Amino acid sequence: MSRVKITFPDGDVKEYQKGISAHEILSQLNNRSLAQKAVAARFNNRLVDLTHPINADGNLVFVTSDTTEGMDVFWHSSAHIMAHAIKVLYPEAKFGFGPALQDRFFYDFDINESLTPNDLEKIEQKMKEIVDQNNPFTREEITKEAAIKLFQQRNEPYKVEHIEDLEDSTSIYREGDFIDLCSGPHVPSTGMVKHFKLLAISGAYWKGDEKNPMLQRIYGVSFPKKSQLDDFLYKLEEARKRDHRKLGKELDLFSINDDCGAGLILWHPKGALVRKMIEDFWRDEHLKAGYELVFTPHIARRDLWGKSGHLDFYAENMYSPIEMENLQYQLKPMNCPFHLLIYKSQGRSYRDLPIRWAELGTVYRYERSGVLHGLMRVRGFTQDDAHIFCLPEQLQAEIINCLNFTQFILNTFGFRDFEIYLSTRPEKFVGSVENWDLATDALQKALEKQNLNYQIDPGEGVFYGPKIDIKIKDVLDRSWQCTTIQVDFNEPERFDITFRGKDGNDHRPIMIHRALMGSLERFFGILIEHYAGAFPIWLAPVQAIILPITDAQHDYAFKLEKELNANNIRAKVDDRNEKIGFKIREAELQKIPYMIIVGEKESQANQISVRKRKQGDLGQYNIGQFIELIKQEIYQKVES
């Protein structure tokens, strides 16, 4: 009987009978931990079920539930179990898609009634019954014609429509008496999915097209261990408490008003003050880092966006043109064309490079109303933008400078855990392949020289060049896209910008697009949720609140306020006719870092009683001591 040679990740090679499954190999390895965690396998770099028969020599890697790939398989299987439960409870249900997401799963379906949160409990109970049955997931290859016939018989028009778009044969999975169109892989059986929770119901257009029917979508989450599910649900509840839209209203930071327009932010005084602190820090550090500041208009002639290429590649995200004096103008979606025009305003020499120009530039992009989300997805926002013009031999050093500067800025705001992605050439691009390869190589070498761990994101570069994207991790371990560093050979050519080289001839500079925080609006939303509105003292809109116990201390309280403000400490007096306990609770709800309590004893001794957020009573201080304490924390940008 023929044999196959299997090579394992450690280089070990073993022979097995042809047709053996990955699951059978796993059972012979006598590795209990691996057997408990394995959900699928990778054979010759193809993701397959553990039951997949192996009929050739090759490399075998077991995919476990403690990896991103393994959890994708786990959640995908969970979505099938949920769909099975829905089909049992609602036999008329017609199904769309049910993939895994980054941290959960969902399934879209069409039924004759609108489900409510109470219905989720019924579906969960039915899922538990299916899990207890421990039904195996079995894969079957099927021709396109047979698949169409099968799902027509099962009255699944959305599946049929999808199959008709396929070019070739496909596969189905059976689990109990439930059949679904799927490429897999899946966990071996339903019994592996013991710990799950259905989270929410929403609407979703079939294939994401608003011209198509609206389906219902149920989101859920599942984990191999109950402790993982408990941790997820705890973080989910924490995320609800930290929702920047909720805290933005409670702390009076910002609002969005339909009379103004969806996706357009109104910054209230407290929020505007936090924004000022962010902007002041940003500008000061950029000047220290060798950048120069520029300002550009919010509107320009539409021809400018044709020249830059944005009309060819970005028009769907731009607002309609404005007609004035027989000319068309455009709200700007990007700042870069303006910086190119500044560059072209005079001749440049190789001695002038690198040139680093930075701008907090407000841009306007059309986003569909369904994707708008508080500060996180808006239609008007301010980019912390910069463009660097450099010589080819300066490119790698400038990228390294950007990476170091990024880490410094984000660290200062309390973010130290990052995910880094290098995005390569997309299908639709401009410029030469040679230049793309040169730019990609420079980005990659800069990351490696700085010993930064990164992942390749194939085909996700922007149309004009490759990029590095940096995502920050917040206190709840959620990832947020912030920094982008993009190399651009395209726009320098389109705008025909040059510098006079050492040889006396004109040459083309390389352009780097760079944003560190991404947008002030989104970054502010992330900060609100990261700190649950309790900003570090250097960012807090009110750094100290003075609480007189009775009216007799009002004069002393306002004298303290004046002295603190004179020392650049943002202080206010709460002179309301309320009990001191009420004022303290209000100050805590407003997440003010310091409370200064003054009664008859303090006013007579020219002292203050200090409480600190999260720490409580700090005891008695004279005002000079307190000013030095708080100024030192502000200077050091202490996080809590």
Side-chain angles (χ1 to χ4, degrees), residues 244-398:
H244 72 280
R245 296 166 298 179
K246 170 178 172 287
L247 290 174
K249 183 176 182 180
E250 291 175 359
L251 301 177
D252 195 23
L253 299 171
F254 73 94
S255 63
I256 302 170
N257 193 304
D258 285 340
D259 290 341
C260 174
L264 301 173
I265 306 303
L266 300 171
W267 293 77
H268 295 199
K270 287 182 181 178
L273 191 52
V274 179
R275 173 171 173 158
K276 177 190 180 297
M277 302 310 299
I278 295 171
E279 289 187 3
D280 288 350
F281 169 72
W282 185 92
R283 289 192 178 99
D284 290 345
E285 294 303 327
H286 275 75
L287 291 172
K288 291 178 190 176
Y291 287 78
E292 298 173 297
L293 303 179
V294 297
F295 293 91
T296 60
H298 291 236
I299 191 171
R301 287 182 56 176
R302 189 169 171 84
D303 294 347
L304 182 64
W305 310 106
K307 188 172 187 177
S308 68
H310 288 97
L311 286 180
D312 295 329
F313 293 90
Y314 210 75
E316 64 183 19
N317 296 101
M318 297 168 66
Y319 278 93
S320 300
I322 303 167
E323 189 87 25
M324 294 181 66
E325 297 179 344
N326 297 321
L327 292 173
Q328 287 191 328
Y329 286 81
Q330 182 75 52
L331 282 172
K332 68 172 176 178
M334 305 282 186
N335 299 303
C336 43
F338 296 98
H339 294 195
L340 286 151
L341 292 180
I342 295 174
Y343 186 99
K344 276 183 74 83
S345 66
Q346 60 178 283
R348 310 287 175 179
S349 163
Y350 72 93
R351 294 187 182 90
D352 301 322
L353 304 181
I355 292 172
R356 307 180 188 100
W357 287 332
E359 177 182 15
L360 291 169
T362 301
V363 298
Y364 303 89
R365 300 179 187 175
Y366 173 68
E367 299 279 4
R368 294 183 182 277
S369 57
V371 302
L372 296 175
H373 180 74
L375 294 167
M376 305 304 193
R377 196 76 177 263
V378 294
R379 288 175 171 167
F381 58 93
T382 301
Q383 289 182 305
D384 68 317
D385 215 350
H387 294 93
I388 300 167
F389 303 91
C390 64
L391 307 174
E393 58 267 28
Q394 296 170 334
L395 178 60
Q396 187 174 314
E398 287 303 312

Side-chain angles (χ1 to χ4, degrees), residues 412 531 535-539 612-613 629-630 632-640:
T412 302
Y531 288 109
F535 298 112
I537 190 164
W538 72 281
L539 288 175
K612 189 173 184 182
R613 183 178 65 201
L629 168 70
I630 199 169
Q632 190 66 18
E633 287 192 15
I634 293 168
Y635 175 76
Q636 294 176 347
K637 295 183 170 57
V638 175
E639 289 181 30
S640 61

Side-chain angles (χ1 to χ4, degrees), residues 192-254:
M192 290 189 71
V193 187
K194 288 184 169 62
H195 310 292
F196 55 85
K197 181 70 178 175
L198 301 187
L199 302 173
I201 305 168
S202 68
Y205 291 108
W206 167 235
K207 293 185 175 179
D209 188 339
E210 56 193 25
K211 296 177 183 177
N212 287 336
M214 172 70 79
L215 308 182
Q216 295 187 69
R217 172 177 292 180
I218 292 181
Y219 290 97
V221 70
S222 61
F223 291 96
K225 298 178 182 177
K226 185 178 185 299
S227 60
Q228 293 172 302
L229 177 61
D230 291 342
D231 182 58
F232 177 91
L233 295 176
Y234 166 77
K235 288 179 178 178
L236 190 66
E237 182 57 30
E238 273 295 301
R240 289 195 184 103
K241 293 176 184 176
R242 293 166 180 263
D243 190 320
H244 72 280
R245 296 166 298 179
K246 170 178 172 287
L247 290 174
K249 183 176 182 180
E250 291 175 359
L251 301 177
D252 195 23
L253 299 171
F254 73 94

Side-chain angles (χ1 to χ4, degrees), residues 136-147:
F137 282 95
T138 56
R139 176 188 176 95
E140 294 179 21
E141 300 293 334
I142 189 171
T143 65
K144 178 178 177 178
E145 293 74 18

